[in-house]
Amino acid sequence: MEINIMKSKDLPEETLKTVHSNTENQKTVMKNRMETKNLTVKYGSIYGVKNISLPFQDKTVTALIGPSGCGKTTYLRALNRMHDLTREAKIEGEVLLDNKNIYDEDINPVTIRRKIGMVFQKPTPFPTMSIYDNVVAGLKLVGIRNRSLLDEVCEKALKQAALFDEVKDRLKTPAVSISGGQQQRLSIARALAVEPEVLLMDEPTSSLDPQATLRIEELIHVLKKDITIIIITHNMQQAARVSDKTAFFYVGDLIEAGDTNTIFTNPKEKQTEDYITGRFG
Amino acid sequence: MRRRRIHDKFIEILLVIATIAVLLPLIIIIFHVIVEGVSALNYEFFTEELGSPSRAIQGKPTGLVHTILGTIVVDMLALVIAVPVGIGAGMMLSEYPDHMLNPTLRIMNDTLNGMPAILKGLFAFVLIVKPMGTFSGLAGGVALSFVMLPIIARATESALLTIPWTIREAGLALGIPRWRVVISAVMPAAKTGLATGLLLAFARAAGEAAPLLFTSFGNNYLPDQWFGFIFNPVDTLPQRLYSLAISPYSEWHSMGWAAAIVLLVMVILAFVFARFVTRGKVQLK
Ligand SMILES: Nc1ncnc2c1ncn2[C@@H]1O[C@H](COP(=O)(O)OP(=O)(O)OP(=O)(O)O)[C@@H](O)[C@H]1O
Ligand SMILES: [Mg+2]
């Protein structure tokens, strides 16, 4: 690298980013795509999560881990305003997307959710729609009718979700006629079809067989070149395999967050170590 | 093991008896209506207007074509008014439970539901007949729509509430607007429940005579022009059935039974139609 400081200052920002991301020293340069500041979610008077401040760097995978009921799903749903539907849920603090709070008055939650996609813990196919219509629902239902475009998107998304070969001959059959694991991959394909910039995944592989799980993990590796991924998982090996960063939650608190390597090999907190090594949770 | 099987058999027999007990009165009624009315169901019944009693007494051609057409017009008018409003209200109640207008909407709906049918007629009288200065099919349609509305709204609400919230969340998470998710993903999933609601409402309203007494009023003749069905007094089956039944002429009595058969067939056809529509294609098109 012969670019001196003076020169690199003159370069347009885009170029600068490429230059830097090619260097080893990514940490200082990569910008935060998303970030939560003192985020608290309450259900009535019960805390779901308390005071979580956590950055998510652009084009990285962050794993959220922690025992059942510790607030992972609660936290994740706050990131694309899914709690808007839950009457008793109250949000405090900030969720920043590109440094703008998505809970600001002037923000349309629909636009936010378009950018921040979500895969749920359980498969959620639209029951009356075919496999095809499910995959392209996010496009079709906002008015995109171009048949060849939809066909293309459908095939690509199904391939990404490792489902295409299994369903390519019956795209027009009802989505509810395929198996639970296939429905889960269908849900993943559907989320990918709208090309989100951030993808939230809530235990996406918990209903999948090892083969499909592997394919989804490979997919995450590929997607990460372009988008930011936040994934909840109960599988420590999976967290270690797919993520760059890991955050450990415990009863509504963020105990520790950092590079996945560090968290798994040299955690600062005893609770983290106990959880990772399987002593509780 | 053996005893349990005998036990099962016993319960099964009880259930069959219970089913028969429920169906038997219905079968008897239908049978009786058909026996009494079928003789009056001739070609003229479906092609001629009723006219004055002397026609029937003197054996001149007489029928209820104006009543059958009038019933269809008035019921359709009622559906046209009640279906969009009722489904809209039901959607509002189930999909936007936190909306500030909802408590009011719910009270209005419950009040309308509990209101005696004759008062709904009175309501339509004040609303339509008074300003128009005449009884009309339109006023009858409005009165019947008040019968249908709360039934449709309630049925829509409960049909939509049976669809899991996760479906709505999945739609929203794709960046689809809320109303679009409801219309394209939730409503189709609830279509059987929705159709059942429409049907119940239709069947209920089609049999009502009371709200029509001072709205569509009744008429012994066909209107001169087709829009007479909408803007002039119109005959309807339940109400005509009643006036034929209380008339002193035996010819009109059997026409009343025949009118009952037609009404029955209309409601059954509606059920068959609804079954047909809600079955069939699963795909949303
Ligand atoms: N709609 C709700 N109303 C009230 N409390 C809720 C609601 N949803 C979640 N909670 C509570 O919030 C806490 C966190 O739940 P959450 O679903 O976020 O856990 P989780 O970490 O995702 O668990 P799991 O690993 O089992 O999925 C739990 O104690 C749960 O009971
Ligand atoms: Mg969860």
Side-chain angles (χ1 to χ4, degrees), chain A residues 69 72-74 121 202-203 232 234:
Chain A
K72 304 178 297 295
T73 299
T74 301
Q121 207 162 341
D202 194 348
E203 298 181 43
I232 295 177
H234 279 291

Side-chain angles (χ1 to χ4, degrees), chain B:
Chain B
M1 247 352 238
R2 192 185 189 87
R3 190 188 276 168
R4 183 182 297 169
R5 210 169 300 153
I6 293 170
H7 192 80
D8 277 353
K9 202 77 203 158
F10 181 67
I11 298 282
E12 196 186 316
I13 292 169
L14 273 185
L15 288 176
V16 170
I17 292 173
T19 313
I20 292 172
V22 172
L23 288 181
L24 199 62
L26 186 68
I27 293 167
I28 292 174
I29 292 171
I30 293 178
F31 189 71
H32 189 72
V33 166
I34 291 175
V35 167
E36 293 282 345
V38 80
S39 64
L41 274 184
N42 47 28
Y43 176 73
E44 272 133 28
F45 185 86
F46 294 102
T47 51
E48 295 293 328
E49 56 188 11
L50 183 66
S52 66
S54 60
R55 279 204 205 180
I57 293 166
Q58 293 164 12
K60 286 187 193 154
T62 173
L64 291 180
V65 63
H66 66 299
T67 315
I68 295 168
L69 292 177
T71 308
I72 293 171
V73 170
V74 170
D75 287 352
M76 287 304 138
L77 280 172
L79 278 175
V80 165
I81 300 166
V83 168
V85 180
I87 287 185
M91 271 169 68
M92 183 88 181
L93 290 173
S94 93
E95 302 302 313
Y96 300 88
D98 294 332
H99 199 282
M100 61 176 195
L101 289 178
N102 268 359
T104 322
L105 185 61
R106 200 174 288 281
I107 289 172
M108 277 170 56
N109 201 49
D110 288 349
T111 311
L112 199 56
N113 199 23
M115 192 188 275
I118 188 102
L119 287 185
K120 295 178 193 179
L122 202 59
F123 200 28
F125 178 82
V126 173
L127 215 62
I128 311 286
V129 178
K130 273 278 187 183
M132 273 176 69
T134 171
F135 299 111
S136 63
L138 180 64
V142 170
L144 286 190
S145 77
F146 292 147
V147 177
M148 294 177 174
L149 248 172
I151 302 174
I152 295 177
R154 268 299 173 80
T156 303
E157 184 192 3
S158 45
L160 292 179
L161 285 179
T162 60
I163 307 304
W165 275 102
T166 52
I167 299 295
R168 298 162 173 87
E169 290 184 345
L172 291 186
L174 292 172
I176 304 168
R178 182 99 177 254
W179 61 269
R180 190 72 223 224
V181 174
V182 174
I183 288 177
S184 299
V186 183
M187 297 276 282
K191 67 181 173 183
T192 313
L194 294 179
T196 311
L198 294 193
L199 240 133
L200 284 176
F202 176 80
R204 172 72 188 283
E208 287 278 3
L212 299 173
L213 292 178
F214 29 75
T215 51
S216 62
F217 192 69
N219 198 334
N220 284 18
Y221 301 92
L222 274 171
D224 296 334
Q225 265 126 353
W226 67 267
F227 52 79
F229 278 120
I230 298 175
F231 299 113
N232 292 339
V234 164
D235 224 28
T236 50
L237 281 165
Q239 183 202 352
R240 176 54 61 190
L241 203 160
Y242 173 74
S243 62
L244 291 174
I246 60 165
S247 75
Y249 320 106
S250 64
E251 291 83 357
W252 275 20
H253 293 169
S254 53
M255 284 180 80
W257 288 110
I261 296 178
V262 176
L263 192 56
L264 211 59
V265 168
M266 263 178 63
V267 172
I268 292 171
L269 277 184
F271 268 96
V272 173
F273 177 70
R275 261 294 138 79
F276 188 73
V277 169
T278 51
R279 213 187 24 197
K281 284 203 300 182
V282 188
Q283 265 186 50
L284 174 71
K285 267 279 147 7

